[in-house]
Amino acid sequence: MGKQGASRSLRPESQSEGMSLGMKGYQIRCSESLCGNNPSIGRRLSGEDINSSSKPGSIHRSKHDFSKISASKGSYGGKRHFWLQKHVRSILFMIGVIGFVFLVDSLTLSIVNLIIRRNSQFSRKLSGAKDDNDAHIHKEKSPIQMYDRLVHLASSSLAEIEFKPEKSSLWKEPYLQASAWVPCADGNIGKDLEKPDKTNGYVIISANGGLNQQRVAICNAVALASLLNATLVIPRFLYSNVWNDPSQFGDIYQEYYFMNTLKDDVHIVKELPSYLKSLDLEAIGSQITDADIAKEAKPTDYIRTVLPLLLQNGVVHFLGFGNRLGFDPIPFDLQRLRCKCNFHALKFVQKIQQVGSLLVKRIRKYDAVKSMLDKQLLGNFIDYVPSKEVGVVGGPTKYLALHLRFEVDMVAYSLCDFGGGETEKKELQAYRETHFPLLIERLKKSKTISTTELRMSGRCPLTPEEAALVLASLGFKHRTYIYLAGSHIYGGNSRMRTFTNLYPNLVTKETLLTPSELAPFQNFSSQLAALDFIACASADVFAMTDSGSQLSSLVSGFRTYYGGGNAPTLRPNKKRLAAILSENKTISWNTFEDRVRKMIEEGQRVRTRGFGRSIYRQPRCPECMCKSTTVQV
């Protein structure tokens, strides 16, 4: 996930007003079109034929008939008066309709202009979210659209379904088997891993990366301490020039809750004993780097290489400890301990829970717990209401959370073409040369792969435009509330314009929180990422564009563990989607919808964790979850 933080946008109250105005405008436009199709109700009427002309020389006859003519005129006037009296309501109605049409036209124009200004303001703020040495990456550009025809079809489809009943299946997991799995990693670990009375020494972990990489490192460290019969020192977080966040464990997670939850499984202390603090761990050979331990190492690797050092010096320090403990093969109880750490022991500190609850409440416009996910993420900062009462008064507003991995580092590293022409190509090449020199060297020695091949093999990040097309094809309506995690979108407004045109109710933590509420988290990217984690995990639907992202993986796993089969996650297959989008010039919208829906449903199938797969992302396995016997599947 990219760096956190963005410039402020509209306050929630103003934003809601803009959203409601947008909907009124849409209704007015529809009404106007209906009015415009009404047939004309005016009709020309002719008077009676009065043969009053006379032949020449018949003056006396004319005089004789004068009374008849007068009578005829009186009769005509009476009939005209009767016609006016009969149709006066219709005439007044027509005058009213014409006046109403002019009024509606004026209001519609004002509302549309207001919506455009608001969307433009949001996009401008989004595009200017990042202020760093790469400011040229975020300058305002002309809108870029790669799939004009499909976007037009999507817009027409959204207009057509806007006032139709929404499909309830959009907000549910499609397979009943999902509810058969329930959390069960919080019990005591088996006898084979009982906490020993005496430990072999102390394990120190210095975790690198951002919030989610650090979370994985913490859970692996707990399992490793148990494996080595060691005492774990509360993990430390390395400061990185990329993340620019000095936060430590206690700034993000509740230390005592963490220690208390795992007290029966692992010895945990806040710091090293004083007699060990003065040791030069590197000098005595107790400092271990990633170069010393293979990626996805097996437990036997640690017992063979690390345990002797621990026994000899009484302490080992893992510097830059990342994903250095494999998922398989590993003892059952050790795997369960990792699950217990990730899903039960790591609770965000109260200041993060409190502000996270504000995010969720302001999107939903509802102050109570909706699910077990809310309770686990927000603690006591959200009220508990029995499940039968949650649905009163229409229930809470549903929202979809989207993790859109389209940051400049992802885009540049992918080597893909995103339709921005030569200017964009040069810009991304300059970024690569500055930030990815090793990639540049590797490219010089390897065979060039075409941008088309990269896209068709599923190696290109999804653009905001592609993400919007996926949501539209699934049937999410124009007015759907969408929480955008991260918000450092490469290209800013030029990339987001299509998305916000199709889905204007787009919010971020910067638009939902006031400057004073957000101030304690500024300059702390991991704490800002924790707010995104909460908003995404608690969403009614979570959509990702890159399943390899740590945030997407951890959030989807958290939703699987606590969602009870009612927390759908949308995970596009980029390779299959690229094949569908390659037919953008000819494919019909109905066919596009069908193929995308099948792709998404395939990704939602209920599968148990495969060998070697992450338990943080796929906790449906006996080590983490139990299969309920009371659920019919």
Side-chain angles (χ1 to χ4, degrees):
M1 183 172 162
K3 299 177 194 173
Q4 303 299 318
S7 58
R8 313 285 189 279
S9 187
L10 301 175
R11 290 285 300 276
E13 294 82 6
S14 354
Q15 189 176 32
S16 300
E17 181 185 350
M19 292 169 185
S20 63
L21 285 174
M23 289 309 304
K24 288 176 184 174
Y26 192 90
Q27 291 168 339
I28 287 170
R29 284 194 295 274
C30 289
S31 302
E32 183 182 349
S33 65
L34 289 173
C35 293
N37 290 331
N38 285 340
S40 172
I41 63 172
R43 198 167 55 208
R44 291 174 60 92
L45 296 176
S46 58
E48 255 181 62
D49 275 343
I50 302 175
N51 297 320
S52 57
S53 58
S54 312
K55 294 181 181 179
S58 303
I59 297 175
H60 68 283
R61 196 164 139 191
S62 296
K63 286 180 180 179
H64 176 74
D65 290 337
F66 179 76
S67 59
K68 289 183 181 180
I69 294 171
S70 299
S72 177
K73 284 183 180 178
S75 171
Y76 173 74
K79 288 181 180 181
R80 181 173 60 185
H81 178 74
F82 175 75
W83 179 87
L84 286 171
Q85 190 176 32
K86 182 178 178 182
H87 294 282
V88 68
R89 290 187 180 180
S90 297
I91 294 169
L92 290 175
F93 176 74
M94 271 300 298
I95 293 170
V97 166
I98 293 168
F100 178 72
V101 167
F102 278 112
L103 178 62
V104 164
D105 185 62
S106 175
L107 283 174
T108 301
L109 186 60
S110 301
I111 291 168
V112 167
N113 286 334
L114 177 62
I115 293 170
I116 290 170
R117 283 198 303 272
R118 287 181 183 270
N119 284 344
S120 257
Q121 186 178 21
F122 175 80
S123 297
R124 283 196 302 272
K125 292 194 175 189
L126 197 65
S127 66
K130 190 176 179 182
D131 181 19
D132 57 16
N133 294 331
D134 301 303
H136 65 281
I137 295 292
H138 302 275
K139 63 186 177 183
E140 192 73 10
K141 304 174 185 176
S142 300
I144 298 171
Q145 199 164 283
M146 298 172 67
Y147 307 100
D148 298 37
R149 177 178 170 273
L150 280 177
V151 169
H152 176 73
L153 294 175
S155 182
S156 299
S157 175
L158 291 180
E160 185 180 335
I161 67 171
E162 188 64 19
F163 300 106
K164 291 182 179 178
E166 188 170 56
K167 298 176 185 175
S168 60
S169 59
L170 278 175
W171 303 92
K172 294 179 181 178
E173 293 198 49
Y175 301 103
L176 291 176
Q177 295 93 327
S179 60
W181 291 88
V182 294
C184 65
D186 54 337
N188 289 336
I189 306 304
K191 292 182 179 179
D192 292 342
L193 290 181
E194 282 184 350
K195 185 172 74 173
D197 295 331
K198 186 178 178 181
T199 70
N200 292 327
Y202 293 85
V203 169
I204 307 170
I205 301 291
S206 294
N208 52 9
L211 174 80
N212 302 293
Q213 293 92 328
Q214 291 166 351
R215 189 181 184 103
V216 170
I218 293 166
C219 298
N220 287 345
V222 167
L224 183 59
S226 176
L227 174 70
L228 300 175
N229 285 337
T231 297
L232 177 67
V233 179
I234 289 281
R236 302 171 181 175
F237 298 154
L238 293 174
Y239 181 83
S240 164
N241 290 330
V242 175
W243 297 96
N244 294 321
D245 187 353
S247 299
Q248 288 301 315
F249 189 99
D251 299 314
I252 299 173
Y253 300 108
Q254 298 177 32
E255 287 184 339
Y256 288 107
Y257 186 90
F258 173 75
M259 297 168 72
N260 189 58
T261 302
L262 299 171
K263 65 183 172 60
D264 295 327
D265 310 306
V266 182
H267 287 286
I268 304 176
V269 294
K270 290 194 69 173
E271 54 186 23
L272 276 176
S274 55
Y275 72 91
L276 291 175
K277 286 183 179 179
S278 59
L279 290 178
D280 185 338
L281 300 183
E282 185 176 6
I284 65 174
S286 281
Q287 182 165 288
I288 301 167
T289 67
D290 284 353
D292 301 315
I293 294 290
K295 191 176 180 182
E296 303 287 347
K298 299 176 183 177
T300 52
D301 297 331
Y302 285 96
I303 291 172
R304 185 178 64 255
T305 61
V306 177
L307 184 57
L309 282 174
L310 181 64
L311 293 171
Q312 178 184 323
N313 299 323
V315 59
V316 290
H317 177 206
F318 290 92
L319 180 64
F321 186 72
N323 193 15
R324 298 288 153 179
L325 179 62
F327 291 105
D328 294 294
I330 196 169
F332 180 94
D333 291 332
L334 206 61
Q335 194 79 289
R336 172 163 284 197
L337 183 57
R338 289 206 286 196
C339 286
K340 184 175 181 178
C341 177
N342 184 49
F343 298 113
H344 295 278
L346 292 175
K347 295 276 189 187
F348 292 123
V349 293
Q350 292 190 352
K351 78 167 187 176
I352 292 176
Q353 287 185 332
Q354 183 177 20
V355 177
S357 71
L358 290 178
L359 282 176
V360 174
K361 289 174 183 178
R362 284 174 185 171
I363 302 173
R364 287 191 185 148
K365 303 176 179 61
Y366 194 72
D367 292 342
V369 168
K370 188 174 178 230
S371 66
M372 191 188 296
L373 280 165
D374 291 345
K375 190 66 181 171
Q376 291 298 323
L377 291 162
L378 305 173
N380 297 322
F381 290 97
I382 192 162
D383 298 329
Y384 175 74
V385 173
S387 57
K388 359 169 129 168
E389 296 180 30
V390 171
V392 297
V393 199
T397 300
K398 298 188 187 78
Y399 77 97
L400 179 147
L402 173 65
H403 186 213
L404 186 54
R405 287 294 319 266
F406 201 71
E407 298 97 348
V408 62
D409 55 343
M410 282 284 293
V411 172
Y413 198 85
S414 72
L415 304 174
C416 297
D417 180 14
F418 298 97
E422 286 302 315
T423 302
E424 184 175 87
K425 288 177 184 176
K426 290 176 182 177
E427 187 176 85
L428 293 176
Q429 180 62 19
Y431 187 92
R432 280 190 285 270
E433 289 171 357
T434 303
H435 297 273
F436 304 127
L438 294 179
L439 173 63
I440 297 295
E441 289 301 315
R442 192 167 73 244
L443 290 174
K444 291 176 182 176
K445 301 173 185 176
S446 60
K447 181 184 174 183
T448 304
I449 304 176
S450 72
T451 55
T452 302
E453 288 178 296
L454 287 170
R455 184 168 296 281
M456 295 308 291
S457 62
R459 291 159 65 180
C460 297
L462 262 62
T463 66
E465 179 186 9
E466 290 168 337
L469 287 172
V470 169
L471 296 180
S473 67
L474 294 174
F476 286 100
K477 294 189 173 184
H478 175 73
R479 62 175 179 263
T480 302
Y481 281 80
I482 299 177
Y483 178 89
L484 181 64
S487 78
H488 292 319
I489 305 303
Y490 170 67
N493 188 36
S494 65
R495 288 291 176 184
M496 288 303 298
R497 180 74 61 82
T498 298
F499 193 104
T500 53
N501 283 345
L502 292 177
Y503 293 102
N505 291 340
L506 188 69
V507 294
T508 67
K509 54 186 174 295
E510 290 79 19
T511 62
L512 290 169
L513 299 174
T514 65
S516 60
E517 289 164 346
L518 204 54
F521 304 96
Q522 293 296 357
N523 304 317
F524 298 100
S525 61
S526 291
Q527 295 181 45
L528 288 167
L531 297 178
D532 278 337
F533 187 102
I534 287 173
C536 288
S538 190
D540 296 274
V541 174
F542 173 58
M544 64 177 78
T545 58
D546 179 23
S547 58
S549 150
Q550 285 278 21
L551 173 69
S552 293
S553 294
L554 291 175
V555 165
S556 62
F558 206 87
R559 290 168 63 80
T560 296
Y561 192 80
Y562 284 115
N566 296 305
T569 293
L570 312 180
R571 188 182 290 108
N573 181 311
K574 290 192 289 185
K575 187 174 181 179
R576 286 177 63 179
L577 183 59
I580 299 170
L581 289 170
S582 68
E583 302 174 30
N584 70 89
K585 294 182 179 178
T586 56
I587 192 170
S588 71
W589 182 250
N590 287 340
T591 303
F592 183 78
E593 284 179 323
D594 290 342
R595 290 176 66 180
V596 171
R597 284 172 186 167
K598 286 176 184 175
M599 174 192 69
I600 293 295
E601 286 180 7
E602 177 65 24
Q604 291 179 304
R605 287 191 181 278
V606 180
R607 301 179 177 92
T608 56
R609 185 184 71 89
F611 184 87
R613 308 295 284 181
S614 168
I615 55 99
Y616 309 119
R617 174 180 169 180
Q618 298 178 357
R620 287 193 188 105
C621 60
E623 300 94 329
C624 293
M625 301 183 75
C626 299
K627 204 161 184 183
S628 171
T629 55
T630 59
V631 179
Q632 296 292 327
V633 296

